[in-house]
């Protein structure tokens, strides 16, 4: 079976700094990583390949340096990597991103065989919209399963799949058909440590690089800024609350005094709470 | 309406702020809120969105509609009544047995057909697992813009100004969908305040038929496992939340948080590192990548108050922080602070609350 998994290279956001005056993101020197949520999808793809045979193709759209993310994915054991890179994709919102990625997936299908499953992460840690997965599914006319906690079974010949999907108050068990798009929930598995073989292959291996034209994208009006219905007009720092916390004075007090004082302060500020607590709390 | 003429002329890009709404979008009117009905229950985020939708509709001089998709029966009727009670002027209803469980195919079909027929200016959905699944499909089908996880919605120059946090909450950005309709946005539960509920008679309900049969739907529901009650942390909607952070030092010390929570009938939560360490399950995490909470009282013990934590708790009426470091950032947004060792203080606080709240403590209350 052929599995395509979409990954995004993102700044390691723990280290993102915002310029205090200009409010711009200081990207320089910020290390990049594979979007952490995508690793759960990648691992799931690799497991399915190991169980059912076939190939895993990783796909990313991004600047040339996104190649690093693809090489990393190869070290985990992906079979092939495709980098979709072109100036015309700059400024894509999720609609334009899903357009470009879906065309690349069509081209991957024509070149390497039609995918049975397309995987994506639940969301990214930078754009954080969770919209690209559903976008790709809709563009390709694939059945869509988001927030999948577990792939129950796959019958490649019968073209059947069952999944457990997180919903608000529980888990849905669904039965459906291949091909489909799955976004994996976090914590569902743990990315493997790639083998030495994979590491060597990744270092040497060729990465397929496609421009828009090479991916078969002709309508540039659907790409990048021009293909993006959303417009970012303003970026600004949140206004912070001016006053700081009122500190409970600590001098010469036991923990018990402090506790009583804090409770008094709470009820002074929220008088209704005391009444509610007296009835609901304290069991 | 075919999608062909939805391919509107390209927008002028992010720099092009000028609004030139193509002719075929000019008759898009009114504000719609998706009333999320799943397994017989309306998700409260729908009411929060009706509250926001009301303000937008009033500013635009338009009507506010609730969109109810569900199976025939009591639950759907209830959802309709609640939509009116929380401020809708009218309800669009698609009622069909095959909408009993959420599935992407029929819900996307129902929603996109409704939009193409009745042409809303703005469409809001909750950023829940259901809402995000549906919103992404609907926006792509309609080829329009969708702004995720907004924390503020407004009307500026007649357009929806949707503000959302970026880069972990350290910045905000305002996003517009100028040249496409509807303008779509999702909002996470509890980010917006719950509007007041007023009993109102059910108003105008406009029915729309679902042009899809069960045979056409490939995905079948085999079953549904309800979450175990204990796992079903109802953090987002709790009136009081007590949370612990790394400052508590060990998984065992979290018992101190749970004890206090039990004594005052609160839910308990935690900062993200505790989930990463496996000290707490993921559904207890508070913050940007966890739950947004809006309790009347939030007590944070041993939590530094990082921006990603802060954005999830700022809606609380009263924030109390317990931290050994007088310079901890949490004191910048807490209302009451106490610089002390939480491991010693939490038991004292639990005991003091218990004493104060016990039925025989009225002398104490009066004092
Ligand atoms: C701060 C900020 C806010 C934004 N807000 C919005 C918004 O509200 N609406 C909007 O339409 N756009 C928005 N964008 C633009 C959006 O981030 C980009 O379109 C981005 O290319 C994809 O969206 P995402 O990061 O949210 O991905 P998500 O939809 O969260 O990603 C889900 C999955 O899709 C796959 N995927 C996503 N991007 C790629 C890629 N480039 N290559 C391969 N696979 C990928 C991955 O598997 C990923 O896990 C925003 C961007 C930023 C920086
Ligand atoms: C993309 C992204 C998303 C994130 N999402 C979230 C999120 O949703 N929620 C979240 O919480 N975090 C989130 N984080 C992590 C966040 O940046 C912080 O790292 C985290 O909130 C810190 O947790 P903490 O306050 O428990 O730990 P620390 O920052 O280590 O703080 C511990 C605090 O305890 C105090 N302390 C130590 N000993 C004691 C004692 N005995 N008594 C009292 N106080 C004591 C210390 O002074 C310190 O202030 C996210 C990060 C990223 C990069």
């Amino acid at each position: 079976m052929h599995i395509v998994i979409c990954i995004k290279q993102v700044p390691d956001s723990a280290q993102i700094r915002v310029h205090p005056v200009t409010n711009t993101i200081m990207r320089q020197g910020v290390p990049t990583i594979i979007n952490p949520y995508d690793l759960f999808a990648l691992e799931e793809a690799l497991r399915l390949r190991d169980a059912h045979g076939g190939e895993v193709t990783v796909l990313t759209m991004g600047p040339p340096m996104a190649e690093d993310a693809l090489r990393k994915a190869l070290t985990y054991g992906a079979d092939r990597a495709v980098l979709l890179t072109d100036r015309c994709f700059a400024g894509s919102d999720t609609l334009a991103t899903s357009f470009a990625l879906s065309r690349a997936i069509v081209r991957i299908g024509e070149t390497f065989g039609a995918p049975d499953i397309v995987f994506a992460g639940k969301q990214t840690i930078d754009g954080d919209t969770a919209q690209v997965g559903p976008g790709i599914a809709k563009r390709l006319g694939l059945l869509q399963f988001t927030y999948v906690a577990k792939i129950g079974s796959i019958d490649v010949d019968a073209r059947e799949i069952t999944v457990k999907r997180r919903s608000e108050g529980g888990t849905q068990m669904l039965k459906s058909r291949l091909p489909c798009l799955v976004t994996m929930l976090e914590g569902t598995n743990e990315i493997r440590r790639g083998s030495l073989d994979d590491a060597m292959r990744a270092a040497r291996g060729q990465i397929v690089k496609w421009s828009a034209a090479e991916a078969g994208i002709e309508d540039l009006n659907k790409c990048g800024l021009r293909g993006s219905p959303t417009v970012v007009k303003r970026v600004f720092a949140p206004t912070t609350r001016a006053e700081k916390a009122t500190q409970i004075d600590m001098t010469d007090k036991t923990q018990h005094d402090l506790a009583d004082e804090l409770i008094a302060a709470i009820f002074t500020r929220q008088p209704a709470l005391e009444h509610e607590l007296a009835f609901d709390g304290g069991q | 309406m075919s999608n062909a003429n939805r391919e509107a002329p390209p927008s002028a890009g992010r720099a092009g702020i000028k609004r030139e709404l193509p002719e075929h979008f000019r008759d898009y009117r009114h504000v719609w809120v998706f009333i999320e009905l799943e397994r017989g229950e309306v998700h409260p985020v729908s009411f929060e969105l009706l509250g926001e939708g009301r303000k937008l509709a009033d500013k635009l001089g338009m009507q506010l509609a609730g969109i109810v998709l569900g199976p025939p029966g009591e639950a759907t009727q209830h959802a309709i009544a609640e939509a009116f009670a929380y401020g809708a002027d009218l309800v669009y209803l698609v009622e069909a047995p095959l909408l009993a469980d959420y599935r992407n195919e029929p819900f996307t079909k129902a929603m996109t057909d409704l939009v193409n027929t009745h042409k809303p200016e703005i469409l809001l959905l909750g950023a829940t697992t259901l809402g995000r699944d549906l919103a992404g499909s609907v926006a792509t089908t309609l080829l329009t813009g969708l702004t995720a996880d907004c924390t503020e919605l407004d009307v500026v120059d007649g357009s929806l100004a949707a503000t959302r946090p970026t880069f972990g909450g350290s910045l905000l950005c305002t996003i517009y969908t100028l040249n496409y309709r509807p303008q779509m946005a999702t909002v996470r539960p509890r980010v917006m305040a719950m509007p007041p509920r007023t009993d109102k008679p059910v108003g105008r309900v406009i029915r729309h038929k679902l042009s899809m049969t069960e045979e056409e739907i490939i995905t079948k529901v085999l079953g549904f496992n309800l979450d175990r009650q204990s796992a079903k942390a109802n953090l987002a909607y709790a009136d009081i939340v007590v949370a612990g952070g790394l400052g508590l030092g060990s998984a065992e010390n979290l018992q101190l948080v749970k004890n206090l929570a039990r004594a005052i009938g609160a839910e308990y939560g935690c900062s993200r590192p505790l989930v990463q360490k496996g000290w707490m399950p993921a559904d207890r995490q508070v913050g940007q990548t966890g739950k947004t909470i809006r309790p009347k009282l939030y007590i944070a013990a041993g939590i530094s108050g990082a921006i990603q934590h802060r954005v999830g708790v700022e809606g609380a009426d009263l924030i109390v922080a317990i931290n050994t470091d007088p310079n901890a950032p949490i004191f910048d947004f807490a209302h009451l602070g106490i610089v002390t060792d939480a491991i010693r203080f939490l038991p004292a606080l639990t005991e003091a609350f218990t004493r104060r709240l016990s039925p025989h403590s009225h002398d104490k209350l009066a004092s």
Side-chain angles (χ1 to χ4, degrees):
Chain A
M1 107 167 138
H2 187 197
I3 302 171
V4 172
I5 137 109
C6 300
I7 64 169
K8 186 181 182 190
Q9 186 181 51
V10 296
D12 194 346
S13 79
Q15 307 191 39
I16 273 277
R17 291 284 171 274
V18 176
H19 192 283
V21 179
T22 59
N23 276 338
T24 49
I25 315 299
M26 306 199 288
R27 281 179 190 272
Q28 254 136 13
V30 177
T32 57
I33 51 172
I34 296 179
N35 174 39
Y37 291 104
D38 297 349
L39 296 178
F40 303 106
L42 176 58
E43 175 61 24
E44 200 62 32
L46 295 172
R47 286 184 190 183
L48 288 177
R49 176 202 61 189
D50 295 348
H52 298 273
E55 285 184 323
V56 171
T57 302
V58 256
L59 166 65
T60 194
M61 177 183 96
M65 69 182 261
E67 183 176 336
D68 297 347
L70 292 174
R71 286 215 187 272
K72 185 77 189 164
L74 290 175
T75 68
Y76 291 125
D79 300 283
R80 178 187 303 114
V82 177
L83 172 62
L84 181 63
T85 185
D86 200 308
R87 292 288 258 295
C88 75
F89 298 133
S92 296
D93 72 358
T94 56
L95 194 71
T97 301
S98 66
F99 171 72
L101 288 173
S102 64
R103 298 324 296 259
I105 292 169
V106 169
R107 179 48 56 92
I108 286 172
E110 290 162 359
T111 318
F112 307 108
D116 301 288
I117 304 184
V118 176
F119 275 103
K122 184 184 93 168
Q123 64 197 63
T124 62
I125 60 168
D126 57 347
D128 187 23
T129 64
Q131 289 166 193
V132 172
I136 294 172
K138 187 49 74 191
R139 299 254 189 203
L140 293 174
L142 297 175
L143 294 152
Q144 159 185 330
F145 306 102
T146 52
Y147 304 99
V148 168
K150 192 174 165 32
I151 293 185
S153 63
I154 284 188
D155 187 330
V156 183
D157 299 322
R159 313 296 295 154
E160 267 178 20
I161 180 169
T162 60
V163 300
K164 284 190 181 170
R165 172 176 184 273
R166 172 117 295 272
S167 88
E168 288 300 306
T171 324
Q172 251 187 340
M173 258 84 64
L174 300 171
K175 181 174 155 192
S176 193
R177 213 182 286 155
L178 301 176
C180 63
L181 178 132
V182 171
T183 79
M184 288 303 289
L185 209 59
E186 71 274 21
T188 42
N189 57 40
E190 205 174 319
I191 188 74
R192 61 192 58 194
R193 304 175 65 146
S195 68
L196 200 58
D197 277 356
D198 287 327
M200 310 243 297
R201 201 170 45 80
R204 284 195 314 264
Q206 279 293 315
I207 287 189
V208 182
K209 285 182 200 149
W210 285 339
S211 64
E214 286 164 325
I217 298 173
E218 279 152 19
D219 192 349
L220 298 186
N221 278 334
K222 293 183 185 168
C223 298
L225 275 181
R226 278 199 283 176
S228 298
T230 63
V231 178
V232 179
K233 267 226 261 186
R234 197 160 88 91
V235 179
F236 57 105
T239 43
T240 45
R241 229 166 54 83
E243 45 175 325
K244 296 207 163 206
T246 307
Q247 295 287 353
I248 307 283
D249 181 24
M250 305 284 303
T251 17
D252 299 330
K253 281 181 200 140
T254 65
Q255 295 279 330
H256 283 274
D257 294 343
L258 277 177
D260 283 334
E261 207 171 305
L262 177 61
I263 292 172
I266 289 172
F267 290 153
T268 305
R269 285 168 186 250
Q270 293 282 312
L273 212 54
E274 173 152 27
H275 185 70
E276 284 167 35
L277 273 177
F279 287 97
D280 309 336
Q283 337 66 0
Chain B
M1 166 178 185
S2 88
N3 277 333
N5 62 346
R6 288 202 143 264
E7 304 274 357
S11 77
R14 264 152 232 239
I17 282 152
K18 226 172 56 204
R19 180 179 159 170
E20 339 155 18
L21 194 62
E23 190 63 41
H24 60 276
F25 287 135
R26 298 225 172 115
D27 56 344
Y28 279 62
R29 283 279 175 282
H30 307 306
V31 178
W32 286 15
V33 168
F34 173 56
I35 308 298
E36 181 175 323
L37 174 66
E38 192 173 26
R39 302 190 63 78
E41 277 178 54
V42 179
H43 197 294
V45 71
S46 315
F47 308 138
E48 294 156 16
L49 286 175
L50 283 170
E52 287 304 302
R54 181 76 266 162
K55 291 183 224 163
L56 299 177
D58 289 349
K59 270 200 167 176
L60 288 163
M62 293 183 182
Q63 291 199 306
L64 174 66
I67 309 304
V68 178
L69 315 177
E74 219 173 285
T76 300
Q77 290 311 313
H78 177 71
I80 295 170
E82 289 303 292
F84 285 107
Y86 281 101
D89 299 313
L90 73 163
V91 161
Y92 290 98
L93 170 68
V94 182
E95 204 177 28
L98 48 85
L99 296 173
D101 284 286
Y102 176 71
R103 283 176 293 176
N104 181 271
E105 302 155 80
F107 274 71
T108 302
K109 173 81 179 147
M111 185 62 103
T112 50
D113 280 358
L114 269 182
V115 168
N116 285 332
T117 310
H118 297 285
K119 306 185 174 176
E121 168 109 54
I122 292 173
L123 171 56
L124 309 176
L125 300 93
T128 58
T129 51
L130 192 166
R132 283 177 147 197
D133 188 273
L134 180 61
S137 297
V138 169
T140 313
T141 310
L142 299 171
L143 298 170
T144 191
L146 170 59
T147 306
D149 292 357
C150 302
T151 50
E152 214 184 304
L153 299 172
D154 199 1
V155 172
V156 175
D157 297 336
S159 295
L160 177 68
T163 298
R164 60 171 309 214
T166 84
F167 296 101
S170 38
L171 288 177
L172 297 169
C173 65
T174 305
I175 297 181
Y176 292 74
T177 296
L178 295 175
N179 300 330
Y180 299 81
R181 290 294 178 270
Q183 307 163 80
M184 291 180 62
T186 64
V187 177
R188 291 173 56 187
R190 279 310 235 175
V191 166
M192 303 298 181
M194 182 66 78
R197 183 187 183 287
T198 37
D199 268 316
K200 278 203 296 188
V202 167
R204 197 152 72 100
V205 177
I206 298 170
R207 289 172 172 271
H208 193 91
K209 270 183 81 144
L210 179 64
S211 54
M212 199 176 214
T213 61
E214 185 57 49
E215 292 69 47
E216 292 171 72
I217 305 173
I218 295 169
T219 303
K220 305 294 172 196
V221 180
L222 300 179
F224 192 93
N225 277 355
L226 274 178
D227 287 338
R228 273 178 298 116
Q229 206 57 36
S230 63
K232 198 171 163 184
N234 211 348
L235 257 190
Y237 286 89
D239 276 343
I240 308 178
V241 175
V242 185
L246 270 187
L248 291 178
S250 72
E252 291 71 53
N253 283 339
L254 287 173
Q255 193 56 45
L256 305 176
V257 168
K258 294 181 193 172
N259 290 348
L260 174 58
R262 177 147 18 88
I264 59 177
E267 282 290 345
Y268 60 88
C270 65
S271 62
R272 186 167 83 156
L274 274 54
V275 173
Q276 288 168 329
K277 281 179 178 289
W279 294 358
M280 281 261 198
D283 59 358
R284 296 279 176 188
Q285 182 187 318
V286 174
Q288 189 212 343
T289 46
K291 299 254 168 29
T292 300
I293 60 173
R294 268 187 111 82
K296 294 176 181 158
L297 172 62
Y298 177 56
I299 303 178
I303 293 179
S304 60
I307 184 77
Q308 295 90 356
H309 190 81
R310 176 176 181 160
V311 295
V313 305
E314 264 177 328
D317 293 337
L318 182 62
I319 300 174
V320 175
I322 307 160
N323 197 304
T324 41
D325 175 7
N327 297 317
I330 194 152
F331 292 129
D332 294 342
F333 62 96
H335 303 91
L336 287 172
I338 188 152
V339 179
T340 191
D341 176 3
I343 299 160
R344 286 173 54 224
F345 185 65
L346 283 173
L349 187 60
T350 306
E351 202 207 298
F353 262 122
T354 311
R355 228 183 316 120
R356 180 134 181 179
L357 296 173
S358 80
H360 310 294
S361 66
H362 283 281
D363 313 342
K364 181 103 193 168
L365 281 180
S367 73

